[in-house]
Amino acid sequence: MLWRTGLICFVSAQIAAIYGLQLELEPEQSELTTSLMKKVELFLPMWNGDTDDYIRYFDRTSKLFWPAAKILVLMDKEKEEDHKVADRLLAESATRRTSAKARSFRVEFNEDTPGMWGHDRQQLRMFEADVYTDSEYIGFVDTDAVFTTPVVEETLFEDGKPVGWRIIGRIGKYDGDPGKFWSVAPLATEWATGTKEIMRCMDYFPVVVKRQHIIEMREWFSQKHGKSFSKFFNQLKTSTTPGVKHRPYSQFNMMCQWLYHNKHDDYVWHLHQTDPEWSRHHHVEGQVDEKDLQAILAAENTKPLVRVAQHAHYDNIASDYDLAKTMAPGVCNSVDAASRPSWCNFDGELQEGLFVFEGASWLWDKEGCMAAQSSHYERVKEHKVSFNTPDQQQILQWIGETLKAGPNANPNAGTDNERHY
C-alpha cells in the first residue's frame, strides 16, 4: 500500500506541474488536525451593525491565521437585518465548503430579553454561551479582533493538557481611563463575587473558558445572591449610585475572578503588568491591595506571553495599510525564507503586535518578548503551518498590494461592507 500511495502522490504532482496547479498535500502535523483545537468553538456575539468590522477584521484575519476555526456567530432573533446578514454569511460558507477545505461556521439566534439591550445583552449571552454550543471549550472574540499570527494548539493550551489554558490579566488602574469605567468596574466584580478584584481580563482574544465552568459559574452566582441568574444579572447592571441608572461592570473580569478562586488549578495563569512599578501606585477601590497583589504575582508567571490577536478599534488599526502591516509579520515569521512572499522584510525582528493589546504593552521587557516570540514561531513551524488555501492566497495578495500602495493610498478604505481581497 505504501508504494501505491507514493505513486498516487507522484502522478498527482506531475498533473499539477503540467497544468500549473498548486498541489496541497496534507502536512504531517497541522493546527487543522490537533484534537484539542477541535474542541474549541469561537463565540462571537454580533448584530447587523457589526458586519463591516466582521468582514474586514475578524473574517479576513481568522481565515489567514486560523483557517480551521470553528465559529459560532450569535445574532438577535427579532432583528430582520440580522437574519439577512446571517443568510449572506451562511451562503458564503456553504459555497466555500464545496470548493475547498473550509472552517466550521454557523449562526444561532438568541431571544429578545426585556430590559437587556446592546452591551448588556451581549454580556449576558456570554454567561449563557453553553446554551448555544456543545464544544468543550468556548473562545470569546469580538468582530474587530485582528489575528496577527497562526493560532496553534500551544497558543491556547499548555503541555497538551485539555485544561492548560492561559489567562493574561492586567493589574491595577487602566492608563487612559478617565475614571468612568475601568477604574470603577472592580467595585461590580467585588459585589458579584464577594472578593477584591485581582485582574482585568478583557486583555486578549480569544478568551477561552471550559463550557462546564460557565454552567457552574452561573449556578454559583445564582446561589450566592439567592435569586435566578437573570435577576442577579439585572441587579448587576443597575447602579446603586443615586442619579445613575447603569453600573459599570466587566463580565470578563467577573469570569476571571470566579475561575481564579474556584477553578485555579484547571488553568495556567499568566499575569501581565504593563510596568513593574506601575501597579504599586494605581490601585482603585474594589481591587486587591499591594500586599495581596505581590503575593499573587509571586505565585504566578509574569513573563511575556504571545497574544495571537489585537483589538482593532483600540489598537489604532484603522486604515487598510494599518491592517496589512499588522498581519504581514505573522506570515513572514511563520515560513522559511524560501517560502516567504516577495513583500516580506521581517526577519527575526520583534513583532510588537504580539505583545500589545488595547495599548497595554509588554515591550518594556524586550528580551522576554523576543524569547516568547522565538518559542512561538518554533512551534508554528513544528506544526508545518502553510498559507495555501484559496482564501489565504487571496489575502496574501491583498496584503502585498496594500503594502505596495502605501499608507496614503486609501486611508478610508474598509469603511463599507465590501470585501477588500
Side-chain angles (χ1 to χ4, degrees), residues 31 37 64-66 146-157 166 205-206 304-309 326-335 349-355 367-385 387:
E31 79 282 7
M37 295 293 280
L64 183 64
F65 290 120
W66 198 349
V146 173
F147 289 96
T148 58
T149 190
V151 183
V152 295
E153 181 180 300
E154 291 82 359
T155 56
L156 301 184
F157 299 89
R166 298 174 170 94
F205 289 130
L305 182 72
V306 164
R307 290 174 171 89
V308 297
T326 300
M327 297 166 68
V331 175
C332 303
N333 289 327
S334 297
V335 296
E349 298 177 8
L350 180 61
Q351 185 179 344
E352 295 187 354
L354 300 179
F355 304 99
E367 183 177 346
C369 290
M370 281 299 304
Q373 176 175 309
S374 296
S375 296
H376 166 66
Y377 281 113
E378 285 176 6
R379 291 191 291 266
V380 167
K381 291 176 181 178
E382 287 173 0
H383 281 275
K384 300 184 179 179
V385 170
F387 301 95

Side-chain angles (χ1 to χ4, degrees), residues 142 144 174 182 200 202 205 310-317 356-360:
D142 281 359
D144 62 333
Y174 175 46
W182 288 113
R200 177 185 172 196
M202 179 51 197
F205 289 130
Q310 289 190 273
H311 204 176
H313 290 309
Y314 300 88
D315 281 315
N316 298 317
I317 303 173
V356 177
F357 190 90
E358 293 189 1

Side-chain angles (χ1 to χ4, degrees), residues 292-344:
D292 288 339
L293 172 60
Q294 292 306 315
I296 292 167
L297 293 176
E300 308 296 352
N301 193 329
T302 59
K303 294 181 179 179
L305 182 72
V306 164
R307 290 174 171 89
V308 297
Q310 289 190 273
H311 204 176
H313 290 309
Y314 300 88
D315 281 315
N316 298 317
I317 303 173
S319 69
D320 277 2
Y321 181 80
D322 293 336
L323 183 58
K325 189 175 180 180
T326 300
M327 297 166 68
V331 175
C332 303
N333 289 327
S334 297
V335 296
D336 295 331
S339 303
R340 289 173 186 162
S342 59
W343 41 260
C344 276

Side-chain angles (χ1 to χ4, degrees), residues 249-268:
Y249 68 91
S250 169
Q251 151 264 346
F252 282 127
N253 288 16
M254 292 166 56
M255 281 186 168
C256 276
Q257 187 82 354
W258 187 87
L259 292 170
Y260 192 86
H261 286 295
N262 295 279
K263 301 292 179 181
H264 182 278
D265 293 344
D266 288 342
Y267 297 84
V268 178

Side-chain angles (χ1 to χ4, degrees), residues 102-114:
R103 59 194 181 178
S104 168
F105 177 87
R106 63 192 184 92
V107 179
E108 294 284 345
F109 293 92
N110 71 95
E111 299 283 348
D112 189 11
T113 303

Side-chain angles (χ1 to χ4, degrees), residues 235-295:
Q235 188 175 356
L236 167 70
K237 73 181 184 65
T238 303
S239 176
T240 57
T241 304
V244 179
K245 292 184 178 181
H246 199 280
R247 184 200 322 239
Y249 68 91
S250 169
Q251 151 264 346
F252 282 127
N253 288 16
M254 292 166 56
M255 281 186 168
C256 276
Q257 187 82 354
W258 187 87
L259 292 170
Y260 192 86
H261 286 295
N262 295 279
K263 301 292 179 181
H264 182 278
D265 293 344
D266 288 342
Y267 297 84
V268 178
W269 298 83
H270 290 250
L271 304 187
H272 175 197
Q273 296 185 90
T274 57
D275 184 309
E277 296 300 318
W278 173 74
S279 58
R280 296 180 185 273
H281 310 290
H282 291 90
H283 294 265
V284 296
E285 191 175 357
Q287 290 179 329
V288 294
D289 61 21
E290 175 64 18
K291 180 180 178 181
D292 288 339
L293 172 60
Q294 292 306 315

